[in-house]
């Protein structure tokens, strides 16, 4: 069971009528991620935005199996919601080696924004970019964009559930994404 799934279930329960039974067990004044210790890095995934119109979750998933587990967990929590995801591939070598697996996992979303590859310690590899993943995603709409243009791209359609994933520097965009989504909600 993924650490995100446990976090998500606890947070979901806490925000439902059943939450009153659990508030004594979990003092949910801090983030759920602070309460559940995992063996890998989890960003504070719950609570970026959770209004009646929109849920925004940021997760560290950066491998096809992690992405699959995260999207399936989010889908289980919000089965009747459209899930829009943004993924920032991490490393040229990983993108090259797992492009098809990334595509299959990302097709579990309803719509996808693919950002440029975060290179970390690697130099660019000829012919390897985010479009390598995007070409194999056929069942859902794919938007290729830079992380700088992402907040503006979000104005095309307000998502019901927005999920950002990656191990690069996408976490630095959380505030801008959150602000953009909130401004769109306020215009409604």
């Amino acid at each position: 069971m993924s650490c995100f799934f446990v976090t998500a279930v606890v947070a979901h329960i806490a925000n439902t009528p059943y939450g009153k039974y659990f508030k004594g067990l979990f003092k949910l004044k801090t983030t759920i991620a602070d309460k559940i210790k995992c063996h890998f890095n989890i960003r504070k995934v719950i609570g970026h935005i959770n209004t009646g119109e929109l849920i925004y979750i940021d997760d560290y998933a950066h491998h096809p199996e992690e992405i699959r587990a995260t999207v399936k967990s989010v889908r289980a929590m919000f089965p009747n919601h459209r899930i829009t995801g943004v993924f920032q591939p991490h490393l040229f070598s990983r993108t090259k080696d797992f492009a098809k697996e990334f595509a299959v996992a990302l097709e579990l979303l309803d719509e996808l924004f693919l950002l440029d590859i975060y290179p970390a310690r690697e130099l660019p590899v000829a012919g390897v970019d985010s479009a390598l993943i995007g070409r194999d995603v056929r069942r859902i709409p794919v938007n290729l964009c830079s992380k700088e243009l992402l907040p503006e791209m979000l104005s095309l359609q307000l998502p019901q559930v927005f999920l950002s994933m990656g191990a690069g520097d996408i976490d630095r965009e959380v505030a801008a994404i959150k602000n953009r989504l909130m401004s769109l909600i306020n215009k409604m």
Side-chain angles (χ1 to χ4, degrees):
M1 182 179 319
S2 79
C3 200
F4 174 80
F5 181 74
V6 173
T7 303
V9 168
V10 171
H12 181 65
I13 290 170
N15 289 321
T16 67
Y18 301 106
K20 64 184 176 184
Y21 301 110
F22 295 92
K23 286 188 181 184
L25 296 173
F26 303 102
K27 294 182 179 159
L28 293 173
K29 294 184 181 180
T30 60
T31 63
I32 300 299
D34 291 337
K35 297 294 179 194
I36 299 175
K37 301 298 180 194
C38 298
H39 65 281
F40 58 90
N41 183 10
I42 284 193
R43 295 186 194 138
K44 296 179 181 182
V45 295
I46 301 297
H48 286 301
I49 298 176
N50 190 351
T51 70
E53 298 89 20
L54 172 71
I55 294 99
Y56 171 36
I57 300 168
D58 178 53
D59 192 72
Y60 189 70
H62 62 284
H63 183 276
E65 289 307 313
E66 294 169 348
I67 291 169
R68 183 185 334 277
T70 297
V71 175
K72 283 184 173 185
S73 297
V74 171
R75 177 109 25 227
M77 285 177 56
F78 307 104
N80 300 318
H81 290 70
R82 181 175 172 78
I83 301 173
T84 301
V86 59
F87 176 59
Q88 181 187 43
H90 181 249
L91 302 175
F92 291 97
S93 59
R94 183 178 292 134
T95 302
K96 180 181 174 189
D97 293 345
F98 295 108
K100 290 189 185 321
E101 291 86 350
F102 278 124
V104 170
L106 291 165
E107 281 186 333
L108 295 172
L109 297 163
D110 296 305
E111 182 178 12
L112 172 64
F113 289 89
L114 268 175
L115 302 184
D116 298 329
I117 296 171
Y118 182 78
R121 61 192 172 273
E122 294 184 337
L123 295 174
V125 174
V128 178
D129 58 14
S130 296
L132 186 64
I133 296 169
R135 283 191 290 272
D136 287 328
V137 176
R138 295 187 177 96
R139 296 183 193 153
I140 63 170
V142 177
N143 306 286
L144 297 172
C145 68
S146 67
K147 67 179 181 176
E148 292 79 17
L149 292 178
L150 179 63
E152 192 59 36
M153 295 283 292
L154 293 177
S155 64
L156 300 176
Q157 179 181 350
L158 183 65
Q160 291 178 308
V161 176
F162 190 74
L163 174 62
S164 56
M165 298 175 286
D169 61 356
I170 190 171
D171 61 323
R172 294 181 189 156
E173 302 306 312
V174 167
I177 293 169
K178 181 179 177 179
N179 290 339
R180 182 63 177 164
L181 293 171
M182 290 305 295
S183 73
L184 293 172
I185 289 171
N186 292 333
K187 288 181 183 178
M188 294 175 70

